[in-house]
Amino acid sequence: LALALSIQFLIVFSWHHRRHDAAVLGRVAGDGRRQIALEEAAGEAAFLDENPLLAMGGAANPGMVRDPTKAHLVPHLPPLPPVLNTRGIQNADALVAGTLSGDHPTIAGVSLILDRFLTAMHGSNAELASRKPPNRAKRDDVHEAFARIAREHLAPLDAAYRGRSMFPIRDDGSIFLSLASFRDHLLGDTLKGAFDQARNPDRLFIGAIVQNCLGLDPYPGEPGVQCRTGAQVVGKGPNGRDQTKVSDAPPDRNGIEEFCTSPGHKKYCDAGQVRALYLHENESLGPSMARY
């Protein structure tokens, strides 16, 4: 009898409890986990709808966008092909606007801003070089063109982050290696040596400005130039002084390509640990500007 009464009590209590949940909480206890899952899904949907980085290439990896230490790596900046690596990035205007707003900086956005500066400089230099006498470009013309383009493309970026860090400061023991490479045939070996000798190569990050002669017709729309050697000593003159010669040469070796196509190192490029911008060597502005 006691056992029967206890079972009856449990049945009645469970029935009343379920009615209470349905009336007060809007659900029954048995649906609790499903309700939590629905709430989490709704929160995820809201995050996906509200985060502008997802529209800029992060939809394929929302986990990185959600992580404040990695969101700026979305979308991935490919290190190749030379010059065109930035021009294939989707949603370029949105990435630039997000970076210049000071709210959504990304590596891709910064690279696009710098590439637009370099492209404007390239066009300006071509126009200045095309001027014929008596209107040939003077020193002040070159300087004023540079200053104008820098004010247009670089000053807004500096202003947006003046006095603060653009990206989160890492505290994981990682190392950033800044390389201003000028026609360096050893760049690929330098990169391989750095990663091969690193105790934790997954924590090594490269930022390289590759200032190379790209040769004739290096990419669509660019006629390029015939590459030339530097002054090479070819002998001695009658007075005993060195005789030098400048000769035609093939395009410079691309150390980024050598590294990123190496079977043992490609994974670092795919992971976004090697970031590169390219500059025609005859438009190089020196190591300080390159490191900027």
Side-chain angles (χ1 to χ4, degrees), residues 236-270:
K236 296 287 187 179
N239 56 5
R241 294 182 179 179
D242 291 339
Q243 288 184 321
T244 60
K245 178 182 178 182
V246 176
S247 307
D248 289 347
D252 295 331
R253 288 170 54 181
N254 183 358
I256 299 294
E257 182 176 13
E258 293 175 357
F259 178 81
C260 291
T261 56
S262 166
H265 304 94
K266 181 178 180 294
K267 60 183 177 180
Y268 302 117
C269 299
D270 293 341

PDB file of all heavy atoms in Angstrom, residues 236-270:
ATOM      1  N   LYS A 236      90.161  46.427 -65.283  1.00  0.00           N
ATOM      2  CA  LYS A 236      90.893  47.614 -64.866  1.00  0.00           C
ATOM      3  C   LYS A 236      91.155  48.502 -66.080  1.00  0.00           C
ATOM      4  O   LYS A 236      91.417  48.023 -67.193  1.00  0.00           O
ATOM      5  CB  LYS A 236      92.229  47.236 -64.224  1.00  0.00           C
ATOM      6  CG  LYS A 236      92.119  46.453 -62.931  1.00  0.00           C
ATOM      7  CD  LYS A 236      91.650  47.303 -61.769  1.00  0.00           C
ATOM      8  CE  LYS A 236      91.701  46.543 -60.452  1.00  0.00           C
ATOM      9  NZ  LYS A 236      91.264  47.385 -59.309  1.00  0.00           N
ATOM     10  N   GLY A 237      91.066  49.815 -65.828  1.00  0.00           N
ATOM     11  CA  GLY A 237      91.378  50.764 -66.878  1.00  0.00           C
ATOM     12  C   GLY A 237      92.863  51.041 -66.948  1.00  0.00           C
ATOM     13  O   GLY A 237      93.653  50.548 -66.112  1.00  0.00           O
ATOM     14  N   PRO A 238      93.286  51.852 -67.935  1.00  0.00           N
ATOM     15  CA  PRO A 238      94.722  52.183 -68.090  1.00  0.00           C
ATOM     16  C   PRO A 238      95.307  52.840 -66.855  1.00  0.00           C
ATOM     17  O   PRO A 238      96.505  52.692 -66.569  1.00  0.00           O
ATOM     18  CB  PRO A 238      94.739  53.129 -69.286  1.00  0.00           C
ATOM     19  CG  PRO A 238      93.482  52.810 -70.039  1.00  0.00           C
ATOM     20  CD  PRO A 238      92.475  52.447 -69.001  1.00  0.00           C
ATOM     21  N   ASN A 239      94.476  53.544 -66.115  1.00  0.00           N
ATOM     22  CA  ASN A 239      94.954  54.225 -64.917  1.00  0.00           C
ATOM     23  C   ASN A 239      94.862  53.352 -63.665  1.00  0.00           C
ATOM     24  O   ASN A 239      95.097  53.817 -62.559  1.00  0.00           O
ATOM     25  CB  ASN A 239      94.182  55.527 -64.715  1.00  0.00           C
ATOM     26  CG  ASN A 239      92.660  55.284 -64.644  1.00  0.00           C
ATOM     27  OD1 ASN A 239      92.216  54.128 -64.660  1.00  0.00           O
ATOM     28  ND2 ASN A 239      91.888  56.357 -64.584  1.00  0.00           N
ATOM     29  N   GLY A 240      94.460  52.091 -63.844  1.00  0.00           N
ATOM     30  CA  GLY A 240      94.377  51.182 -62.711  1.00  0.00           C
ATOM     31  C   GLY A 240      93.052  51.190 -61.986  1.00  0.00           C
ATOM     32  O   GLY A 240      92.867  50.432 -61.031  1.00  0.00           O
ATOM     33  N   ARG A 241      92.136  52.019 -62.421  1.00  0.00           N
ATOM     34  CA  ARG A 241      90.836  52.078 -61.760  1.00  0.00           C
ATOM     35  C   ARG A 241      89.904  50.986 -62.302  1.00  0.00           C
ATOM     36  O   ARG A 241      90.053  50.537 -63.444  1.00  0.00           O
ATOM     37  CB  ARG A 241      90.197  53.448 -61.971  1.00  0.00           C
ATOM     38  CG  ARG A 241      90.947  54.576 -61.288  1.00  0.00           C
ATOM     39  CD  ARG A 241      90.223  55.897 -61.499  1.00  0.00           C
ATOM     40  NE  ARG A 241      90.913  57.001 -60.836  1.00  0.00           N
ATOM     41  CZ  ARG A 241      90.502  58.263 -60.888  1.00  0.00           C
ATOM     42  NH1 ARG A 241      89.428  58.597 -61.609  1.00  0.00           N
ATOM     43  NH2 ARG A 241      91.186  59.200 -60.242  1.00  0.00           N
ATOM     44  N   ASP A 242      88.934  50.591 -61.453  1.00  0.00           N
ATOM     45  CA  ASP A 242      87.978  49.573 -61.869  1.00  0.00           C
ATOM     46  C   ASP A 242      87.136  50.072 -63.037  1.00  0.00           C
ATOM     47  O   ASP A 242      86.708  51.231 -63.070  1.00  0.00           O
ATOM     48  CB  ASP A 242      87.034  49.206 -60.715  1.00  0.00           C
ATOM     49  CG  ASP A 242      87.746  48.449 -59.604  1.00  0.00           C
ATOM     50  OD1 ASP A 242      88.808  47.872 -59.881  1.00  0.00           O
ATOM     51  OD2 ASP A 242      87.218  48.441 -58.471  1.00  0.00           O
ATOM     52  N   GLN A 243      86.907  49.196 -63.993  1.00  0.00           N
ATOM     53  CA  GLN A 243      85.970  49.466 -65.062  1.00  0.00           C
ATOM     54  C   GLN A 243      84.666  48.733 -64.747  1.00  0.00           C
ATOM     55  O   GLN A 243      84.681  47.542 -64.391  1.00  0.00           O
ATOM     56  CB  GLN A 243      86.520  48.986 -66.409  1.00  0.00           C
ATOM     57  CG  GLN A 243      87.664  49.833 -66.951  1.00  0.00           C
ATOM     58  CD  GLN A 243      88.102  49.368 -68.331  1.00  0.00           C
ATOM     59  OE1 GLN A 243      88.154  48.176 -68.606  1.00  0.00           O
ATOM     60  NE2 GLN A 243      88.426  50.320 -69.193  1.00  0.00           N
ATOM     61  N   THR A 244      83.546  49.425 -64.868  1.00  0.00           N
ATOM     62  CA  THR A 244      82.258  48.841 -64.518  1.00  0.00           C
ATOM     63  C   THR A 244      81.337  48.800 -65.728  1.00  0.00           C
ATOM     64  O   THR A 244      81.519  49.545 -66.702  1.00  0.00           O
ATOM     65  CB  THR A 244      81.571  49.635 -63.382  1.00  0.00           C
ATOM     66  OG1 THR A 244      81.365  50.982 -63.810  1.00  0.00           O
ATOM     67  CG2 THR A 244      82.434  49.625 -62.133  1.00  0.00           C
ATOM     68  N   LYS A 245      80.349  47.953 -65.626  1.00  0.00           N
ATOM     69  CA  LYS A 245      79.389  47.779 -66.701  1.00  0.00           C
ATOM     70  C   LYS A 245      78.033  47.433 -66.106  1.00  0.00           C
ATOM     71  O   LYS A 245      77.947  46.686 -65.124  1.00  0.00           O
ATOM     72  CB  LYS A 245      79.853  46.659 -67.643  1.00  0.00           C
ATOM     73  CG  LYS A 245      78.900  46.354 -68.792  1.00  0.00           C
ATOM     74  CD  LYS A 245      79.424  45.197 -69.620  1.00  0.00           C
ATOM     75  CE  LYS A 245      78.452  44.845 -70.747  1.00  0.00           C
ATOM     76  NZ  LYS A 245      78.930  43.680 -71.539  1.00  0.00           N
ATOM     77  N   VAL A 246      76.957  47.961 -66.700  1.00  0.00           N
ATOM     78  CA  VAL A 246      75.578  47.618 -66.332  1.00  0.00           C
ATOM     79  C   VAL A 246      74.977  46.843 -67.488  1.00  0.00           C
ATOM     80  O   VAL A 246      75.023  47.286 -68.637  1.00  0.00           O
ATOM     81  CB  VAL A 246      74.743  48.878 -66.031  1.00  0.00           C
ATOM     82  CG1 VAL A 246      73.300  48.502 -65.754  1.00  0.00           C
ATOM     83  CG2 VAL A 246      75.333  49.627 -64.832  1.00  0.00           C
ATOM     84  N   SER A 247      74.417  45.670 -67.185  1.00  0.00           N
ATOM     85  CA  SER A 247      73.927  44.780 -68.243  1.00  0.00           C
ATOM     86  C   SER A 247      72.450  44.466 -68.040  1.00  0.00           C
ATOM     87  O   SER A 247      71.897  44.615 -66.939  1.00  0.00           O
ATOM     88  CB  SER A 247      74.717  43.467 -68.243  1.00  0.00           C
ATOM     89  OG  SER A 247      76.112  43.701 -68.299  1.00  0.00           O
ATOM     90  N   ASP A 248      71.800  43.999 -69.124  1.00  0.00           N
ATOM     91  CA  ASP A 248      70.435  43.490 -68.998  1.00  0.00           C
ATOM     92  C   ASP A 248      70.446  42.242 -68.121  1.00  0.00           C
ATOM     93  O   ASP A 248      71.443  41.504 -68.063  1.00  0.00           O
ATOM     94  CB  ASP A 248      69.864  43.139 -70.375  1.00  0.00           C
ATOM     95  CG  ASP A 248      69.560  44.380 -71.207  1.00  0.00           C
ATOM     96  OD1 ASP A 248      69.560  45.494 -70.632  1.00  0.00           O
ATOM     97  OD2 ASP A 248      69.332  44.241 -72.424  1.00  0.00           O
ATOM     98  N   ALA A 249      69.306  42.022 -67.434  1.00  0.00           N
ATOM     99  CA  ALA A 249      69.235  40.887 -66.516  1.00  0.00           C
ATOM    100  C   ALA A 249      67.808  40.337 -66.502  1.00  0.00           C
ATOM    101  O   ALA A 249      66.853  41.044 -66.857  1.00  0.00           O
ATOM    102  CB  ALA A 249      69.648  41.310 -65.107  1.00  0.00           C
ATOM    103  N   PRO A 250      67.640  39.081 -66.093  1.00  0.00           N
ATOM    104  CA  PRO A 250      66.287  38.520 -65.957  1.00  0.00           C
ATOM    105  C   PRO A 250      65.598  39.115 -64.734  1.00  0.00           C
ATOM    106  O   PRO A 250      66.242  39.778 -63.909  1.00  0.00           O
ATOM    107  CB  PRO A 250      66.542  37.023 -65.779  1.00  0.00           C
ATOM    108  CG  PRO A 250      67.908  36.956 -65.155  1.00  0.00           C
ATOM    109  CD  PRO A 250      68.687  38.091 -65.759  1.00  0.00           C
ATOM    110  N   PRO A 251      64.278  38.913 -64.582  1.00  0.00           N
ATOM    111  CA  PRO A 251      63.581  39.388 -63.374  1.00  0.00           C
ATOM    112  C   PRO A 251      64.228  38.825 -62.112  1.00  0.00           C
ATOM    113  O   PRO A 251      64.806  37.731 -62.116  1.00  0.00           O
ATOM    114  CB  PRO A 251      62.154  38.859 -63.562  1.00  0.00           C
ATOM    115  CG  PRO A 251      61.991  38.708 -65.038  1.00  0.00           C
ATOM    116  CD  PRO A 251      63.346  38.290 -65.547  1.00  0.00           C
ATOM    117  N   ASP A 252      64.142  39.588 -61.041  1.00  0.00           N
ATOM    118  CA  ASP A 252      64.740  39.159 -59.779  1.00  0.00           C
ATOM    119  C   ASP A 252      64.033  37.921 -59.229  1.00  0.00           C
ATOM    120  O   ASP A 252      62.825  37.716 -59.440  1.00  0.00           O
ATOM    121  CB  ASP A 252      64.647  40.288 -58.741  1.00  0.00           C
ATOM    122  CG  ASP A 252      65.469  41.501 -59.131  1.00  0.00           C
ATOM    123  OD1 ASP A 252      66.483  41.331 -59.833  1.00  0.00           O
ATOM    124  OD2 ASP A 252      65.089  42.627 -58.732  1.00  0.00           O
ATOM    125  N   ARG A 253      64.784  37.115 -58.509  1.00  0.00           N
ATOM    126  CA  ARG A 253      64.199  35.962 -57.831  1.00  0.00           C
ATOM    127  C   ARG A 253      63.214  36.432 -56.767  1.00  0.00           C
ATOM    128  O   ARG A 253      63.479  37.387 -56.040  1.00  0.00           O
ATOM    129  CB  ARG A 253      65.295  35.121 -57.173  1.00  0.00           C
ATOM    130  CG  ARG A 253      66.153  34.343 -58.147  1.00  0.00           C
ATOM    131  CD  ARG A 253      67.356  33.725 -57.449  1.00  0.00           C
ATOM    132  NE  ARG A 253      66.991  32.896 -56.292  1.00  0.00           N
ATOM    133  CZ  ARG A 253      67.897  32.280 -55.523  1.00  0.00           C
ATOM    134  NH1 ARG A 253      69.196  32.436 -55.770  1.00  0.00           N
ATOM    135  NH2 ARG A 253      67.505  31.540 -54.505  1.00  0.00           N
ATOM    136  N   ASN A 254      62.083  35.751 -56.697  1.00  0.00           N
ATOM    137  CA  ASN A 254      61.075  36.080 -55.694  1.00  0.00           C
ATOM    138  C   ASN A 254      61.206  35.100 -54.536  1.00  0.00           C
ATOM    139  O   ASN A 254      60.749  33.960 -54.610  1.00  0.00           O
ATOM    140  CB  ASN A 254      59.670  36.019 -56.301  1.00  0.00           C
ATOM    141  CG  ASN A 254      58.587  36.429 -55.307  1.00  0.00           C
ATOM    142  OD1 ASN A 254      58.879  36.722 -54.152  1.00  0.00           O
ATOM    143  ND2 ASN A 254      57.345  36.458 -55.751  1.00  0.00           N
ATOM    144  N   GLY A 255      61.830  35.562 -53.449  1.00  0.00           N
ATOM    145  CA  GLY A 255      62.038  34.695 -52.295  1.00  0.00           C
ATOM    146  C   GLY A 255      60.755  34.250 -51.629  1.00  0.00           C
ATOM    147  O   GLY A 255      60.692  33.170 -51.025  1.00  0.00           O
ATOM    148  N   ILE A 256      59.697  35.077 -51.728  1.00  0.00           N
ATOM    149  CA  ILE A 256      58.407  34.683 -51.154  1.00  0.00           C
ATOM    150  C   ILE A 256      57.866  33.474 -51.892  1.00  0.00           C
ATOM    151  O   ILE A 256      57.384  32.508 -51.293  1.00  0.00           O
ATOM    152  CB  ILE A 256      57.399  35.851 -51.243  1.00  0.00           C
ATOM    153  CG1 ILE A 256      57.909  37.069 -50.448  1.00  0.00           C
ATOM    154  CG2 ILE A 256      56.036  35.410 -50.738  1.00  0.00           C
ATOM    155  CD1 ILE A 256      58.000  36.863 -48.964  1.00  0.00           C
ATOM    156  N   GLU A 257      57.962  33.510 -53.215  1.00  0.00           N
ATOM    157  CA  GLU A 257      57.489  32.374 -54.019  1.00  0.00           C
ATOM    158  C   GLU A 257      58.322  31.127 -53.730  1.00  0.00           C
ATOM    159  O   GLU A 257      57.772  30.014 -53.609  1.00  0.00           O
ATOM    160  CB  GLU A 257      57.558  32.721 -55.498  1.00  0.00           C
ATOM    161  CG  GLU A 257      57.040  31.618 -56.409  1.00  0.00           C
ATOM    162  CD  GLU A 257      57.039  32.015 -57.863  1.00  0.00           C
ATOM    163  OE1 GLU A 257      57.660  33.052 -58.212  1.00  0.00           O
ATOM    164  OE2 GLU A 257      56.426  31.294 -58.676  1.00  0.00           O
ATOM    165  N   GLU A 258      59.636  31.285 -53.617  1.00  0.00           N
ATOM    166  CA  GLU A 258      60.491  30.138 -53.317  1.00  0.00           C
ATOM    167  C   GLU A 258      60.109  29.506 -51.984  1.00  0.00           C
ATOM    168  O   GLU A 258      60.076  28.270 -51.856  1.00  0.00           O
ATOM    169  CB  GLU A 258      61.953  30.574 -53.301  1.00  0.00           C
ATOM    170  CG  GLU A 258      62.490  31.007 -54.660  1.00  0.00           C
ATOM    171  CD  GLU A 258      63.912  31.539 -54.590  1.00  0.00           C
ATOM    172  OE1 GLU A 258      64.464  31.625 -53.467  1.00  0.00           O
ATOM    173  OE2 GLU A 258      64.475  31.862 -55.651  1.00  0.00           O
ATOM    174  N   PHE A 259      59.824  30.329 -51.002  1.00  0.00           N
ATOM    175  CA  PHE A 259      59.483  29.818 -49.676  1.00  0.00           C
ATOM    176  C   PHE A 259      58.095  29.185 -49.676  1.00  0.00           C
ATOM    177  O   PHE A 259      57.896  28.083 -49.148  1.00  0.00           O
ATOM    178  CB  PHE A 259      59.552  30.952 -48.654  1.00  0.00           C
ATOM    179  CG  PHE A 259      59.177  30.536 -47.261  1.00  0.00           C
ATOM    180  CD1 PHE A 259      60.090  29.891 -46.440  1.00  0.00           C
ATOM    181  CD2 PHE A 259      57.913  30.794 -46.755  1.00  0.00           C
ATOM    182  CE1 PHE A 259      59.751  29.495 -45.155  1.00  0.00           C
ATOM    183  CE2 PHE A 259      57.559  30.422 -45.465  1.00  0.00           C
ATOM    184  CZ  PHE A 259      58.480  29.763 -44.657  1.00  0.00           C
ATOM    185  N   CYS A 260      57.114  29.891 -50.253  1.00  0.00           N
ATOM    186  CA  CYS A 260      55.721  29.445 -50.154  1.00  0.00           C
ATOM    187  C   CYS A 260      55.404  28.257 -51.045  1.00  0.00           C
ATOM    188  O   CYS A 260      54.362  27.614 -50.870  1.00  0.00           O
ATOM    189  CB  CYS A 260      54.779  30.603 -50.481  1.00  0.00           C
ATOM    190  SG  CYS A 260      54.775  31.912 -49.223  1.00  0.00           S
ATOM    191  N   THR A 261      56.260  27.958 -52.017  1.00  0.00           N
ATOM    192  CA  THR A 261      56.071  26.763 -52.842  1.00  0.00           C
ATOM    193  C   THR A 261      56.953  25.606 -52.387  1.00  0.00           C
ATOM    194  O   THR A 261      56.896  24.518 -52.967  1.00  0.00           O
ATOM    195  CB  THR A 261      56.359  27.069 -54.325  1.00  0.00           C
ATOM    196  OG1 THR A 261      57.686  27.598 -54.459  1.00  0.00           O
ATOM    197  CG2 THR A 261      55.357  28.079 -54.872  1.00  0.00           C
ATOM    198  N   SER A 262      57.753  25.828 -51.361  1.00  0.00           N
ATOM    199  CA  SER A 262      58.579  24.763 -50.802  1.00  0.00           C
ATOM    200  C   SER A 262      57.682  23.801 -50.014  1.00  0.00           C
ATOM    201  O   SER A 262      56.905  24.228 -49.158  1.00  0.00           O
ATOM    202  CB  SER A 262      59.649  25.357 -49.874  1.00  0.00           C
ATOM    203  OG  SER A 262      60.250  24.343 -49.082  1.00  0.00           O
ATOM    204  N   PRO A 263      57.740  22.491 -50.295  1.00  0.00           N
ATOM    205  CA  PRO A 263      56.854  21.539 -49.613  1.00  0.00           C
ATOM    206  C   PRO A 263      56.924  21.612 -48.092  1.00  0.00           C
ATOM    207  O   PRO A 263      55.913  21.414 -47.415  1.00  0.00           O
ATOM    208  CB  PRO A 263      57.347  20.176 -50.130  1.00  0.00           C
ATOM    209  CG  PRO A 263      57.961  20.482 -51.456  1.00  0.00           C
ATOM    210  CD  PRO A 263      58.597  21.833 -51.304  1.00  0.00           C
ATOM    211  N   GLY A 264      58.091  21.918 -47.557  1.00  0.00           N
ATOM    212  CA  GLY A 264      58.224  21.952 -46.112  1.00  0.00           C
ATOM    213  C   GLY A 264      57.816  23.257 -45.468  1.00  0.00           C
ATOM    214  O   GLY A 264      57.769  23.351 -44.230  1.00  0.00           O
ATOM    215  N   HIS A 265      57.500  24.267 -46.267  1.00  0.00           N
ATOM    216  CA  HIS A 265      57.218  25.582 -45.705  1.00  0.00           C
ATOM    217  C   HIS A 265      55.888  26.182 -46.167  1.00  0.00           C
ATOM    218  O   HIS A 265      55.446  27.195 -45.630  1.00  0.00           O
ATOM    219  CB  HIS A 265      58.348  26.547 -46.064  1.00  0.00           C
ATOM    220  CG  HIS A 265      59.698  26.074 -45.620  1.00  0.00           C
ATOM    221  ND1 HIS A 265      60.546  25.356 -46.446  1.00  0.00           N
ATOM    222  CD2 HIS A 265      60.343  26.188 -44.433  1.00  0.00           C
ATOM    223  CE1 HIS A 265      61.657  25.057 -45.789  1.00  0.00           C
ATOM    224  NE2 HIS A 265      61.574  25.542 -44.567  1.00  0.00           N
ATOM    225  N   LYS A 266      55.257  25.574 -47.156  1.00  0.00           N
ATOM    226  CA  LYS A 266      54.006  26.095 -47.700  1.00  0.00           C
ATOM    227  C   LYS A 266      52.942  26.285 -46.614  1.00  0.00           C
ATOM    228  O   LYS A 266      52.128  27.219 -46.664  1.00  0.00           O
ATOM    229  CB  LYS A 266      53.495  25.144 -48.786  1.00  0.00           C
ATOM    230  CG  LYS A 266      52.196  25.573 -49.455  1.00  0.00           C
ATOM    231  CD  LYS A 266      51.813  24.593 -50.553  1.00  0.00           C
ATOM    232  CE  LYS A 266      50.513  25.014 -51.227  1.00  0.00           C
ATOM    233  NZ  LYS A 266      49.362  24.946 -50.308  1.00  0.00           N
ATOM    234  N   LYS A 267      52.940  25.407 -45.614  1.00  0.00           N
ATOM    235  CA  LYS A 267      51.912  25.468 -44.580  1.00  0.00           C
ATOM    236  C   LYS A 267      51.940  26.789 -43.820  1.00  0.00           C
ATOM    237  O   LYS A 267      50.885  27.268 -43.353  1.00  0.00           O
ATOM    238  CB  LYS A 267      52.089  24.308 -43.595  1.00  0.00           C
ATOM    239  CG  LYS A 267      53.444  24.290 -42.878  1.00  0.00           C
ATOM    240  CD  LYS A 267      53.572  23.067 -41.985  1.00  0.00           C
ATOM    241  CE  LYS A 267      54.948  23.005 -41.313  1.00  0.00           C
ATOM    242  NZ  LYS A 267      55.077  21.804 -40.448  1.00  0.00           N
ATOM    243  N   TYR A 268      53.106  27.408 -43.686  1.00  0.00           N
ATOM    244  CA  TYR A 268      53.194  28.676 -42.963  1.00  0.00           C
ATOM    245  C   TYR A 268      52.547  29.805 -43.772  1.00  0.00           C
ATOM    246  O   TYR A 268      51.924  30.705 -43.199  1.00  0.00           O
ATOM    247  CB  TYR A 268      54.644  29.006 -42.647  1.00  0.00           C
ATOM    248  CG  TYR A 268      55.342  27.940 -41.829  1.00  0.00           C
ATOM    249  CD1 TYR A 268      56.437  27.251 -42.342  1.00  0.00           C
ATOM    250  CD2 TYR A 268      54.900  27.616 -40.547  1.00  0.00           C
ATOM    251  CE1 TYR A 268      57.076  26.264 -41.606  1.00  0.00           C
ATOM    252  CE2 TYR A 268      55.534  26.636 -39.803  1.00  0.00           C
ATOM    253  CZ  TYR A 268      56.622  25.955 -40.339  1.00  0.00           C
ATOM    254  OH  TYR A 268      57.248  24.969 -39.609  1.00  0.00           O
ATOM    255  N   CYS A 269      52.690  29.747 -45.076  1.00  0.00           N
ATOM    256  CA  CYS A 269      52.037  30.746 -45.929  1.00  0.00           C
ATOM    257  C   CYS A 269      50.535  30.546 -45.922  1.00  0.00           C
ATOM    258  O   CYS A 269      49.763  31.513 -45.864  1.00  0.00           O
ATOM    259  CB  CYS A 269      52.584  30.653 -47.355  1.00  0.00           C
ATOM    260  SG  CYS A 269      54.363  30.978 -47.468  1.00  0.00           S
ATOM    261  N   ASP A 270      50.094  29.293 -45.987  1.00  0.00           N
ATOM    262  CA  ASP A 270      48.661  29.001 -45.964  1.00  0.00           C
ATOM    263  C   ASP A 270      48.023  29.427 -44.649  1.00  0.00           C
ATOM    264  O   ASP A 270      46.842  29.773 -44.616  1.00  0.00           O
ATOM    265  CB  ASP A 270      48.427  27.501 -46.185  1.00  0.00           C
ATOM    266  CG  ASP A 270      48.827  27.041 -47.580  1.00  0.00           C
ATOM    267  OD1 ASP A 270      48.937  27.915 -48.474  1.00  0.00           O
ATOM    268  OD2 ASP A 270      49.037  25.826 -47.772  1.00  0.00           O
TER     269      ASP A 270
END
